[in-house]
Amino acid sequence: MDDTEFDQALIAAAFEQAAEQGWRRVSVPAAARAAGLSLTTARGRFPSRAAVLLRFGRLIDQSALQEMAADGPVQDQLFALLMRRIDALQAQRAGVLALLSALPCEPPTALLLTVATRRSMRWMLGAVGVPTTGIRGELRIKGLMAVWLWTLRTWRNDDSEDLSTTMAALDSALRRAAQTAEWLGWHRGQAASAEEPPTAEPDPEPPEPAAS
């Protein structure tokens, strides 16, 4: 079992635990034991529940980026990327829903996910050639975050097998975002305005809150 397989197994066990007992009762050692994984390795790779969420987010992004088309309209590529992220959540649906339900009572976790989501949306835009630097870049990231959160809200209530309601919501949200963002230059390869001040490097990994 390589590191990725180990991580996937532990994450799956953690979300199964969340589905059964709620996110607040998730324990990395308990998840490792349930999956028959090395506690020593689990401790080294997942010092807290926050580490589980951060790694899960990176695996989702990697899966979406690995299968992306070589070319195509920006809107179509973003649709495919974000739906692949939804598909990854669907594989852990019960556990992810338990996590989302717990967020109002866990501000540090909610903040952690906000920062991680922002980084993911920066990656999705960058992957399709949309600039994310400068003031306009920041607005593009915020726009795609709004699209993602609207889609996620729809997905939470979508019980269809083919997620048709979620796909329709994502398509509609991307269309509205594209119309709104025309003045932002939501086009592949368009450089940021020379008047825009440079921004800092992409966000570093957020610090992990202490394990509960």
Side-chain angles (χ1 to χ4, degrees):
M1 177 181 291
D2 61 23
D3 289 344
T4 298
E5 292 171 336
F6 182 98
D7 295 350
Q8 290 172 335
L10 190 141
I11 290 168
F15 278 113
E16 287 176 9
Q17 191 177 32
E20 295 172 358
Q21 304 177 27
W23 177 254
R24 301 188 71 178
R25 293 182 177 272
V26 169
S27 160
V28 174
R33 290 196 303 270
L37 301 172
S38 164
L39 287 169
T40 301
T41 304
R43 176 63 183 86
R45 297 187 65 76
F46 296 95
S48 68
R49 292 181 308 160
V52 173
L53 296 180
L54 291 175
R55 180 60 173 144
F56 183 48
R58 288 195 297 271
L59 287 173
I60 288 175
D61 288 346
Q62 290 168 9
S63 176
L65 294 167
Q66 184 177 18
E67 300 177 13
M68 71 175 292
D71 200 2
V74 167
Q75 186 172 314
D76 292 349
Q77 287 203 313
L78 287 175
F79 177 89
L81 285 169
L82 295 185
M83 273 309 302
R84 281 196 288 274
R85 297 188 90 245
I86 288 290
D87 289 340
L89 296 184
Q90 183 71 6
Q92 306 293 344
R93 183 178 180 85
V96 173
L97 291 179
L99 166 65
L100 295 176
S101 297
L103 291 182
C105 298
E106 293 206 4
T109 303
L111 177 60
L112 180 81
L113 289 179
T114 298
V115 174
T117 299
R118 182 181 182 280
R119 183 183 303 108
S120 292
M121 295 306 103
R122 181 191 290 274
W123 263 99
M124 298 303 105
L125 288 170
V128 300
V130 174
T132 58
T133 57
I135 296 174
R136 291 186 178 182
E138 293 300 318
L139 291 173
R140 292 176 191 128
I141 294 170
K142 290 181 179 179
L144 193 59
M145 281 189 68
V147 169
W148 172 252
L149 294 175
W150 174 257
T151 305
L152 191 63
R153 179 181 179 182
T154 303
W155 171 77
R156 292 180 67 174
N157 300 306
D158 187 357
D159 296 326
S160 62
E161 292 186 3
D162 60 357
L163 297 179
S164 56
T165 302
T166 301
M167 288 190 288
L170 174 57
D171 182 66
S172 176
L174 281 172
R175 289 179 186 276
R176 291 197 303 271
Q179 293 170 358
T180 303
E182 284 182 356
W183 67 278
L184 296 178
W186 189 315
H187 302 289
R188 178 180 294 107
Q190 179 172 330
S193 169
E195 298 178 357
E196 296 176 3
T199 56
E201 292 298 316
D203 304 325
E205 293 293 329
E208 298 173 359
S212 63

